[in-house]
Amino acid sequence: IPLFAMLYDEPRILVPGIVLSLTFPLLALHTPIWVFYRRMDFLKQRALQAWELIVSFVVTVGLAAAGAGVWALVIGGVAGSVTGATVTVRNSPYKLRFRWERGALAEYSSFSWPLWVGSVSGLLTGQVLITTAARAIGTAAVGAISLSTTISNYSRRVDDIVTQTLYPAICAVKDRTDLLFESFSKSNRLALLWGFPAGIGLALFASDILRHVFGSTWVIAIPLLQVLGVTAAVDQIGFNWTAFARARGETRPLAVAAVVGAVVLVAAGVPLVLDRGLVGYAIALAAGTGALMVVRLTYLLRLFPGLKILSHVTRAIVPTVPAALMILAERALAGGHRGPGRAIAEAAAYSAVVVAGTLVAERELLREAVGYLRRAPAPAA
């Protein structure tokens, strides 16, 4: 926290940051939720997690309305974390106490150190690039990067949901390559049905989103959001590979991917940001995504030798192609000013074509997925 305060030349973050750091030890008391997650008892898992969110929201909004300023966020976060830890411990199916198990530390360390390397690499990369942008362009650049990243993350929502839901089942069949391949192929294709058109849609409608929703102040982020949209769409290919690597205990490729991405991003990002500003930042992100894709596909082809990447993704991305071409052709022919009404009409037409194409191209996959949702749960064994 003191280091970040110096980097951003913001001493005011020092005390609030230190207070917020009190929530980190409490994370250990949230781990009983993992038991319900492993049992795929998602209702119990989400019900326990909701306490932290609700308390944090109520306390933060109440204090903000009372004029507490930034301390509303700090106190709200701490209050939510304390409440979540308390509720989780009270509902834990096992009593919490210190236990010594021979070999557990070595096993945990061998699994976790690559994940730690990945986390540190991501943190350092983000801070180096954002600090460079803040120094070279100004504080507005940090806001533009944060806003664009937040918006583009919505393209990954379906993949996050599907992958998190499947993870306990993936762990259960981690030694069955045939079942792993089926679960990877179908879950990633399902995620691509949302993620690819959502990413391309962000690129197509970045100007409309920032101008008409967030205001003209954010137009500096248009090129960045466009590139982030395209990279988010491409990044959906094999996006859930980390779940399969973790389930099999093969976490070293995750560290390799993180380090490779960090090296490419920093090496390309710093000079590009200094030379071309936010456009340079966007180009660096695209280069980093390309490097990560190489590592990802190398691991997937080793795990699934029969995986044909092109045929795997073609049916999922084909519906987006005519929709995007339609919008580009309409803009080239019509030209002129594009107000909110025209933007909404274009977005509706784009969505309609994507949905229609998806129903044609992936009808069987969608029917199978809906069948899983309708199927009555099997009795507990």
Side-chain angles (χ1 to χ4, degrees), residues 207-228:
S207 177
D208 302 307
I209 293 171
L210 294 175
R211 291 180 188 276
H212 303 314
V213 178
F214 293 95
S216 58
T217 307
W218 295 99
V219 294
I220 62 170
I222 291 176
L224 178 58
L225 184 55
Q226 289 173 334
V227 174
L228 278 173

Side-chain angles (χ1 to χ4, degrees), residues 130-138 141 273-275 277:
I130 290 177
T131 303
T132 303
R135 296 284 184 176
I137 311 170
V273 169
L274 293 175
D275 182 53

Side-chain angles (χ1 to χ4, degrees), residues 15-356:
V15 177
I18 292 174
V19 174
L20 270 177
S21 68
L22 298 175
T23 62
F24 288 110
L26 294 173
L27 292 176
L29 300 180
H30 288 71
T31 52
I33 290 179
W34 298 352
V35 178
F36 304 105
Y37 179 42
R38 188 178 187 278
R39 295 174 179 174
M40 302 185 81
D41 187 354
F42 301 119
L43 181 60
K44 184 72 172 180
Q45 175 196 358
R46 297 304 186 191
L48 293 176
Q49 291 175 326
W51 281 95
E52 178 177 359
L53 301 175
I54 293 172
V55 171
S56 180
F57 176 80
V58 171
V59 173
T60 300
V61 172
L63 290 176
V70 70
W71 282 101
L73 295 169
V74 175
I75 298 173
V78 173
S81 187
V82 170
T83 303
T86 303
V87 172
T88 302
V89 170
R90 288 179 61 88
N91 287 271
S92 174
Y94 308 107
K95 291 183 178 180
L96 270 63
R97 62 179 176 84
F98 288 104
R99 294 177 174 87
W100 174 257
E101 181 180 341
R102 185 178 299 276
L105 182 60
E107 181 181 0
Y108 186 88
S109 300
S110 65
F111 179 89
S112 298
W113 75 259
L115 303 181
W116 182 83
V117 169
S119 298
V120 172
S121 299
L123 175 64
L124 292 178
T125 303
Q127 291 302 322
V128 168
L129 292 180
I130 290 177
T131 303
T132 303
R135 296 284 184 176
I137 311 170
T139 308
V142 179
I145 292 171
S146 300
L147 178 63
S148 300
T149 303
T150 301
I151 296 174
S152 66
N153 282 341
Y154 281 101
S155 65
R156 300 183 175 93
R157 287 293 184 252
V158 170
D159 203 327
D160 291 338
I161 293 171
V162 172
T163 302
Q164 290 180 19
T165 303
L166 280 180
Y167 184 65
I170 294 172
C171 293
V173 297
K174 59 184 174 64
D175 297 320
R176 294 281 305 275
T177 307
D178 55 335
L179 294 180
L180 283 180
F181 178 76
E182 181 182 2
S183 60
F184 166 76
S185 176
K186 292 181 178 179
S187 62
N188 192 224
R189 283 164 56 197
L190 278 173
L192 276 165
L193 295 181
W194 161 261
F196 197 84
I200 299 301
L202 282 177
L204 289 171
F205 298 100
S207 177
D208 302 307
I209 293 171
L210 294 175
R211 291 180 188 276
H212 303 314
V213 178
F214 293 95
S216 58
T217 307
W218 295 99
V219 294
I220 62 170
I222 291 176
L224 178 58
L225 184 55
Q226 289 173 334
V227 174
L228 278 173
V230 175
T231 56
V234 174
D235 192 45
Q236 288 294 305
I237 300 173
F239 181 75
N240 57 347
W241 76 291
T242 58
F244 293 83
R246 285 185 283 114
R248 291 172 57 84
E250 299 170 348
T251 53
R252 293 192 179 191
L254 306 184
V256 173
V259 172
V260 169
V263 170
V264 172
L265 277 171
V266 173
V270 172
L272 282 170
V273 169
L274 293 175
D275 182 53
R276 305 191 61 181
L278 286 177
V279 175
Y281 183 89
I283 295 172
L285 286 180
T289 300
L292 288 174
M293 286 295 297
V294 171
V295 178
R296 178 187 306 175
L297 295 179
T298 300
Y299 174 79
L300 287 174
L301 290 174
R302 181 165 60 85
L303 179 60
F304 306 125
L307 176 62
K308 298 178 180 179
I309 295 296
L310 185 61
S311 60
H312 169 73
V313 302
T314 297
R315 282 185 295 178
I317 67 176
V318 160
T320 306
V321 176
L325 293 176
M326 176 191 67
I327 298 300
L328 293 175
E330 182 271 336
R331 291 177 181 176
L333 294 173
H337 176 69
R338 300 180 60 256
R342 181 177 168 186
I344 292 173
E346 287 181 357
Y350 174 82
S351 302
V353 173
V354 168
V355 170

Side-chain angles (χ1 to χ4, degrees), residues 182-183 185-187 189-190 362-375:
E182 181 182 2
S183 60
S185 176
K186 292 181 178 179
S187 62
R189 283 164 56 197
L190 278 173
E362 291 284 22
R363 182 181 306 167
E364 293 300 323
L365 178 63
L366 292 172
R367 182 180 293 117
E368 181 180 348
V370 172
Y372 290 138
L373 295 175
R374 289 178 175 174
R375 188 175 301 168

